[in-house]
Amino acid sequence: MFEDINHSGDGGIYAELITNRAFQGSNINTGSISGYSGSLILPSENLALAGGPVLTGWGPIGDVRLSLDILHPLSDALPTVLQVDIPVNATGEVGFFNYGWWGMDVSPQEYKASFYVLANYPRYKGNSTTFTVSLRSNLTEEIWASTELPTVKVDTLDYIQLNTTISNEAKTPNSNNTFAVTMDAYEVAGQTFYFDLISLFPETFKNRPNGLRKDLAEAFYDIKPKFLRFPGGNNLEGVSPQTRWKWWKTIGPLKDRPGRAIANWNYANTDGLGLLEYLEWTEDMEIEPILAVYSGFSLDIWGEDGASYPESRMHEVLQEALDELEYCTGPTTTKYGALRASHGHPTPFKINFVEIGNEDWFSSTYPHRFYFLYNGLKAAYPDITLISTAYNENADYNISIPAGGMWDTHHYEEPHYFLENFNFYDNWQEATNNTDVGVLLGEYSVKQLDSPDGAVNWSAPGLPLPQLVSAIAEGVYALGGERNPNTVRMSSYAPSLQNLNWYNWVPDMIAFTANLAQTLLSASYWQQWLFARFRGAQTLPVVNTKGDFRPLFWASSINGEETEAYLKVINAGDTAVPLSVVLDVEIRGVNATVIGNPNENAENTEEEMEAVVPKVANVTQTRGRSWSWNVPAWSIVVVQFDV
Ligand code: AHR
């Protein structure tokens, strides 16, 4: 599951290295860029930090004055630009630099740099300009790499866009680096330039232009995901109908994307990672898109019933969703299919799942909104599985999900909740009258450790990092899903990413900074990784002849070829438990992979990293039909039987 929260998109998996590239707003604190010093920012505290035209992130080089200008907009979408005044008596190197997202990784590779520029005075000394772009240390005078662009005459009427590459060979000692655009004052003294959309991309995942930060995307890819749910989460709904995520504003040339000055998680979103980029993300990872469409409800007041569209205006919301689906899936003969083609992707995407809204149990108007959209979308796209975000028993009002549909449920809980609800999905369809309704466990994670109250305290920040006990509890709940594959068809941890310099939700599956060496794959990450690696095609029945669930929890499955049976076992207790397994076929070989540590609170800070990274265990290779082992305390184990 992905949404832009915790600077997970801008400043995160969206590979753009420049912060505030189009002066739409930035939260970076230039005082703390040498290392991360982030702390949790609660929504109410940081509205003041949210977007708006600011110069944050930029600094002058040499004798120049930097300011913001709105008289020379680059486009309707990007009205604020950087004005650079160079005094007539300036000498030497002049220009400006950018701090990146709390620093910038500079490593041996090719970077793509680009910017738009306009001049104010048609005639000035030299009448032509040679721009240089470079990667520099922010701590020393070192310039790691630079490229001089061909000399140009900068127009005074229309912006020109300049593009180049920077080949860097330096291995820099840290990420306290900057990107600079400079000129020689000899050529430009007395001139004023306007710059906008100043961009720098490193190599991206699968080399996609305007693509994903490689290491973070690879960490996702390595989990072997099956789907991506986007663009939220709350980020879809927005704080108000006006500031919500509007798909049509996230597509096309970057200069035509206004971004969201006040996005849901209280920082400006560039929407550089827009609808098409999300779809390309699924294409590059060969996974299903789960497209969440706006359902006519925005949050307005946290935890309260927010602004909703009345029934009489739901046709507007439906049309918006239909147009969006046409953009994603329509042939090039359709209006929006042609638009997608003009954006570089003529081949339609296949969308099999559409989610109607997000967490609409916050809103009493979902019944009319859900059915209106359900009926309208079903009529146009009968084969798409539609996902409801609420159903009759989980809201105070009545929604029956039609057969063939799905329910997206979210759980941010204490560990005990997941253990106690291991059997929640056993007979769920029958018990709740949701015949032929599947479940998307769309967001789940341990938010805080068990407390005397037994319930999450939403005014406390939550665990800073997932611990081993988090992964154990989440794993137990996932086993409950694996035992009921006809009900629980998909599941995803959330939130997935956290920029350690600025975040408003903890814990998260992967934490990172601009420094690639600081990327932290949590215990919860490794639990997801381990379970996805041993994905069965069918559930196998397990009969327990002695003992019951707790502290051991288990589920079993077999691969499609019926050559490998998987037994997933979790020990949610502090002592090892002897386990004997008898199969009704011959075992040809056994191996086990384990995440475990005597300390249930192990995180994966650098010292504890070893504790939560899956390891192949030493198990006795067996012939025959039975196998025995001591399941270590606090462990998550997958045993593979070759059969
Ligand atoms: O994952 C963080 C938020 O939690 C999501 O945006 C929302 O769906 C849920 O409340």
Side-chain angles (χ1 to χ4, degrees):
M1 186 270 171
F2 180 85
E3 68 176 322
D4 209 328
I5 180 173
N6 299 323
H7 273 291
S8 57
D10 285 313
I13 199 164
Y14 180 46
E16 174 63 81
L17 291 172
I18 304 298
T19 190
N20 197 21
R21 68 181 178 190
F23 312 97
Q24 294 155 296
S26 170
N27 292 338
I28 81 151
N29 165 8
T30 47
S32 72
I33 62 162
S34 56
Y36 61 86
S37 61
S39 57
L40 185 77
I41 318 253
L42 294 169
S44 53
E45 290 170 28
N46 66 359
L47 267 176
L49 290 173
V54 286
L55 252 181
T56 311
W58 297 93
I61 294 176
D63 190 4
V64 295
R65 200 186 66 189
L66 306 185
S67 57
L68 294 178
D69 169 88
I70 50 170
L71 296 176
H72 304 82
L74 172 63
S75 61
D76 289 347
L78 301 180
T80 308
V81 303
L82 174 67
Q83 177 171 335
V84 182
D85 296 304
I86 305 137
V88 277
N89 55 355
T91 53
E93 184 186 51
V94 289
F96 54 87
F97 67 91
N98 185 275
Y99 288 104
W101 296 98
W102 296 274
M104 200 176 280
D105 171 68
V106 173
S107 45
Q109 59 177 303
E110 289 251 301
Y111 291 80
K112 288 197 172 92
S114 64
F115 55 86
Y116 287 86
V117 61
L118 181 79
N120 199 28
Y121 303 113
R123 271 186 294 282
Y124 59 98
K125 208 165 151 192
N127 210 13
S128 60
T129 310
T130 315
F131 293 99
T132 300
V133 288
S134 54
L135 299 168
R136 303 173 174 217
S137 166
N138 188 38
L139 299 174
T140 67
E141 298 293 300
E142 276 161 296
I143 297 182
W144 306 119
S146 67
T147 301
E148 189 178 284
L149 280 84
T151 302
V152 283
K153 175 164 170 32
V154 182
D155 196 10
T156 51
L157 287 182
D158 295 313
Y159 277 89
I160 55 168
Q161 189 186 24
L162 299 177
N163 291 281
T164 190
T165 55
I166 308 176
S167 297
N168 172 58
E169 282 171 14
K171 290 194 176 99
T172 59
N174 53 54
S175 58
N176 204 335
N177 301 308
T178 62
F179 168 72
V181 178
T182 50
M183 298 147 274
D184 185 347
Y186 177 78
E187 282 184 358
V188 296
Q191 179 60 288
T192 289
F193 286 113
Y194 306 100
F195 289 88
D196 206 3
L197 201 47
I198 303 150
S199 172
L200 179 72
F201 271 83
E203 286 163 13
T204 57
F205 182 65
K206 303 227 168 152
N207 293 322
R208 183 67 82 172
N210 195 40
L212 303 180
R213 175 172 148 173
K214 236 175 158 181
D215 69 320
L216 296 179
E218 276 164 5
F220 274 138
Y221 195 43
D222 201 35
I223 279 190
K224 298 191 180 296
K226 285 284 186 189
F227 68 89
L228 178 74
R229 170 171 166 250
F230 60 89
N234 295 152
N235 212 36
L236 166 73
E237 302 155 285
V239 180
S240 63
Q242 294 72 23
T243 60
R244 70 194 158 89
W245 190 87
K246 295 179 176 160
W247 71 268
W248 62 95
K249 295 195 170 188
T250 72
I251 54 172
L254 295 180
K255 77 176 184 27
D256 297 328
R257 300 190 198 183
R260 292 164 75 201
I262 304 193
N264 203 70
W265 291 104
N266 297 318
Y267 53 91
N269 284 180
T270 62
D271 286 337
L273 181 56
L275 177 58
L276 185 58
E277 287 76 19
Y278 283 126
L279 292 165
E280 288 171 342
W281 173 344
T282 64
E283 187 170 58
D284 290 345
M285 292 199 187
E286 307 119 46
I287 56 182
E288 285 277 349
I290 297 192
L291 176 68
V293 298
Y294 183 63
S295 69
F297 167 70
S298 297
L299 285 158
D300 267 332
I301 304 164
W302 284 90
E304 303 281 326
D305 204 354
S308 324
Y309 276 71
E311 218 158 347
S312 58
R313 289 190 56 186
M314 279 305 292
H315 59 276
E316 298 169 33
V317 181
L318 173 62
Q319 194 54 52
E320 191 181 292
L322 290 172
D323 293 347
E324 183 176 8
L325 275 165
E326 188 176 287
Y327 181 85
C328 301
T329 64
T332 53
T333 46
T334 60
K335 175 175 168 192
Y336 289 106
L339 184 61
R340 185 197 61 245
S342 76
H343 296 157
H345 205 290
T347 313
F349 294 91
K350 180 98 182 95
I351 304 257
N352 293 314
F353 299 91
V354 168
E355 178 156 358
I356 301 178
N358 177 62
E359 294 191 344
D360 287 87
W361 63 77
F362 279 125
S363 158
S364 55
T365 57
Y366 198 48
H368 80 243
R369 293 185 291 105
F370 173 71
Y371 287 117
F372 194 95
L373 293 174
Y374 183 94
N375 292 332
L377 292 170
K378 244 317 165 224
Y381 295 95
D383 296 334
I384 290 185
T385 300
L386 295 171
I387 305 172
S388 167
T389 74
Y391 86 99
N392 47 7
E393 286 201 3
N394 114 303
D396 298 338
Y397 40 86
N398 203 20
I399 299 216
S400 298
I401 303 174
M406 287 179 74
W407 169 47
D408 175 13
T409 177
H410 296 174
H411 289 284
Y412 296 102
E413 314 283 358
E414 295 187 346
H416 75 90
Y417 175 94
F418 290 123
L419 266 50
E420 281 151 23
N421 287 283
F422 167 65
N423 60 356
F424 183 81
Y425 298 103
D426 297 0
N427 309 316
W428 175 83
Q429 293 193 30
E430 299 79 352
T432 60
N433 237 343
N434 275 294
T435 316
D436 193 20
V437 171
V439 167
L440 158 65
L441 180 48
E443 298 180 23
Y444 72 107
S445 55
V446 166
K447 182 83 177 126
Q448 70 179 34
L449 295 181
D450 287 340
S451 67
D453 281 2
V456 167
N457 171 4
W458 286 99
S459 17
L463 276 176
L465 277 176
Q467 300 186 353
L468 177 58
V469 68
S470 318
I472 284 181
E474 290 148 12
V476 167
Y477 204 54
L479 286 182
E482 282 213 26
R483 279 154 44 91
N484 294 286
N486 293 334
T487 297
V488 183
R489 302 197 182 139
M490 310 176 188
S491 66
S492 49
Y493 184 101
S496 45
L497 288 173
Q498 171 194 9
N499 187 321
L500 287 165
N501 277 297
W502 197 103
Y503 50 91
N504 38 15
W505 188 294
V506 283
D508 302 270
M509 194 169 69
I510 301 171
F512 62 90
T513 68
N515 183 344
L516 273 46
Q518 288 173 337
T519 298
L520 221 143
L521 306 177
S522 71
S524 295
Y525 171 89
W526 288 114
Q527 184 273 317
Q528 299 280 336
W529 182 99
L530 183 59
F531 274 24
R533 232 140 257 270
F534 297 92
R535 212 188 278 270
Q538 279 189 64
T539 299
L540 289 181
V542 182
V543 179
N544 48 317
T545 50
K546 194 169 168 206
D548 204 345
F549 294 121
R550 199 182 263 270
L552 287 199
F553 295 86
W554 59 83
S556 184
S557 57
I558 190 156
N559 68 347
E561 296 77 37
E562 304 199 346
T563 52
E564 291 171 6
Y566 310 123
L567 177 65
K568 296 187 173 110
V569 190
I570 293 182
N571 186 350
D574 57 6
T575 40
V577 178
L579 170 74
S580 293
V581 183
V582 181
L583 276 76
D584 58 9
V585 289
E586 284 289 307
I587 301 169
R588 290 184 296 105
V590 187
N591 67 65
T593 315
V594 183
I595 299 173
N597 193 272
N599 173 14
E600 66 186 288
N601 301 112
E603 295 172 338
N604 57 357
T605 50
E606 223 161 294
E607 316 79 65
E608 289 172 334
M609 188 71 95
E610 276 300 293
V612 294
V613 175
K615 283 174 224 46
V616 175
N618 265 334
V619 294
T620 322
Q621 299 289 316
T622 322
R623 294 251 160 213
R625 295 187 170 207
S626 65
W627 177 79
S628 301
W629 201 53
N630 252 0
V631 184
W634 303 120
S635 64
I636 305 173
V637 184
V638 179
V639 190
Q640 177 185 317
F641 296 99
D642 299 328
V643 292

